[in-house]
Amino acid sequence: MASSAGQLLLMSVAILGSAGCFASDTIIPNSAISGSRTVVSTGGNFELGFFRPAGDSNTASSSDGSNHYYVGIWYKKAVSPCTPVWVANRAAPVSDPASSQLAVAVDGNLVLTNEVGELVWSSNVVISGSSSNGTVAVLLDSGNLVLRRDDGEVLWQSAEHPTDTWLPGVRLGMNKITGHVQALTCWRSSSDPVPGVYSLGIDPNGTSQFFTYWNTTVSWSSGEWNDNIFAGVPEMTSHYFYNFEFVSNANASYFDYSLQDPTVISRFVLDVSGQVRQLIWVPSANEWMIIWAEPHQLCDVYAVCGAFCCFDLFVIVSNEHVSHLGACR
């Protein structure tokens, strides 16, 4: 039986059955995402909806036999199989997407309720005003999910809360005013988006380097930024696909990147092994290709393997070296 709080929350979200009542890239207060219903960015680059991670069914299901479903964003066109780039309810899956709902609630927040009406995830921002009128969630062609008012004021965005994937245009760093940190956290396994033991974030002590952490222990450093590349990532000079930028001022320190060719599909991923990987989609091969990966050897990643275990990993690669990461079904 749903809790009273869950019932009240569910009652506060007005659902309109017609799929034609809202723009295909937008969730409005009187409509919700449920079951197989999705929203797609205007240019068709990304899709938002419920998904079930691909992989071992034993890790994708709970001990009582129910399935685990998540709300996420994945590539809509070109990339196959389905590749999630952001997950909302990483640690709180739902078992029945048909009776679960992602909607804009009366307080203006984007919320996810499960099959019994309980709140399992929220954008969790304080929004002035007595109702959510004028508040909508829009999926952009950059892969960013934005909660905003009709006048364009951004209240919350998924780009400030990345999971294991770093998309072009997203800032990874720290807001020095609020203390908010944009960092990556790996999946627990290739079929389980629960936050794993590795994270990637900017040095909290103020230097221009990024650290990978195993729990709270530093397992890898990028080296400091030299106005062109990170000292510990010489491979950054070997490819002409990207424009890299490091910014540090009184308000924030962050690193971001853009693609010189906007038709190219690329992403950074913090793998379950603790390696940072830069990948590019190769349409002719219909696969992801690893551009570079750090650390070069798995034995350089803390706690990956024992004292006598060491594996070389290709770093600058050609078309024969391809990686499948994070598929869903």
Side-chain angles (χ1 to χ4, degrees):
M1 179 178 295
S3 65
S4 298
Q7 289 175 329
L8 289 172
L9 177 63
L10 190 57
M11 291 171 61
S12 73
V13 182
I15 306 303
L16 192 61
S18 172
C21 65
F22 66 105
S24 62
D25 64 344
T26 304
I27 305 173
I28 62 177
N30 62 345
S31 189
I33 298 301
S34 188
S36 60
R37 189 176 181 182
T38 64
V39 295
V40 178
S41 63
T42 300
N45 291 346
F46 290 92
E47 186 170 20
L48 166 73
F50 287 88
F51 77 96
R52 179 183 174 189
D56 188 336
S57 60
N58 290 328
T59 59
S61 300
S62 64
S63 58
D64 62 3
S66 61
N67 294 321
H68 283 178
Y69 288 89
Y70 302 86
V71 167
I73 300 169
W74 58 86
Y75 294 99
K76 171 62 175 177
K77 61 183 180 183
V79 176
S80 179
C82 168
T83 304
V85 299
W86 182 80
V87 182
N89 53 321
R90 296 184 69 175
V94 300
S95 61
D96 181 14
S99 56
S100 301
Q101 298 175 340
L102 178 70
V104 176
V106 294
D107 68 352
N109 273 288
L110 188 63
V111 299
L112 173 63
T113 54
N114 65 14
E115 54 280 350
V116 295
E118 295 172 338
L119 178 68
V120 296
W121 178 85
S122 170
S123 54
N124 195 31
V125 291
V126 177
I127 302 173
S128 60
S130 59
S131 74
S132 63
N133 292 338
T135 301
V136 298
V138 182
L139 180 61
L140 306 182
D141 264 332
S142 63
N144 189 16
L145 178 62
V146 177
L147 184 68
R148 68 189 185 195
R149 298 187 189 275
D150 280 344
D151 62 7
E153 179 190 358
V154 174
L155 304 170
W156 174 93
Q157 53 186 324
S158 62
E160 294 184 346
H161 306 273
T163 51
D164 71 326
T165 300
W166 185 8
L167 294 174
V170 173
R171 297 177 177 181
L172 207 61
M174 179 174 62
N175 185 317
K176 296 178 180 178
I177 305 301
T178 65
H180 178 69
V181 174
Q182 297 93 25
L184 302 183
T185 306
C186 72
W187 285 28
R188 185 160 63 182
S189 73
S190 60
S191 59
D192 188 350
V194 169
V197 295
Y198 292 102
S199 60
L200 173 70
I202 199 168
D203 180 7
N205 295 317
T207 70
S208 62
Q209 60 186 323
F210 282 78
F211 293 134
T212 297
Y213 297 89
W214 179 80
N215 292 322
T216 58
T217 301
V218 174
S219 60
W220 173 78
S221 168
S222 68
E224 296 210 33
W225 181 251
N226 65 10
D227 294 327
N228 183 39
I229 65 171
F230 286 107
V233 192
E235 299 84 6
M236 291 180 70
T237 63
S238 301
H239 293 274
Y240 54 86
F241 300 115
Y242 309 95
N243 297 310
F244 296 100
E245 179 186 34
F246 180 78
V247 174
S248 183
N249 54 42
N251 296 323
S253 292
Y254 62 86
F255 183 62
D256 65 12
Y257 72 102
S258 60
L259 296 167
Q260 296 186 14
D261 181 352
T263 66
V264 170
I265 299 174
S266 183
R267 62 190 174 118
F268 279 82
V269 174
L270 180 61
D271 185 63
V272 296
S273 67
Q275 287 178 321
V276 183
R277 299 179 177 181
Q278 186 174 21
L279 303 104
I280 190 168
W281 180 254
V282 182
S284 59
N286 200 39
E287 291 183 306
W288 290 101
M289 181 177 74
I290 296 179
I291 298 297
W292 57 263
E294 291 285 355
H296 294 184
Q297 298 177 326
L298 284 175
C299 58
D300 291 333
V301 183
Y302 185 81
V304 165
C305 48
F308 304 103
C309 170
C310 191
F311 300 98
D312 289 327
L313 178 72
F314 50 86
V315 180
I316 299 300
V317 297
S318 56
N319 287 341
E320 68 268 19
H321 293 306
V322 180
S323 175
H324 293 287
L325 298 172
C328 57
R329 59 183 179 185

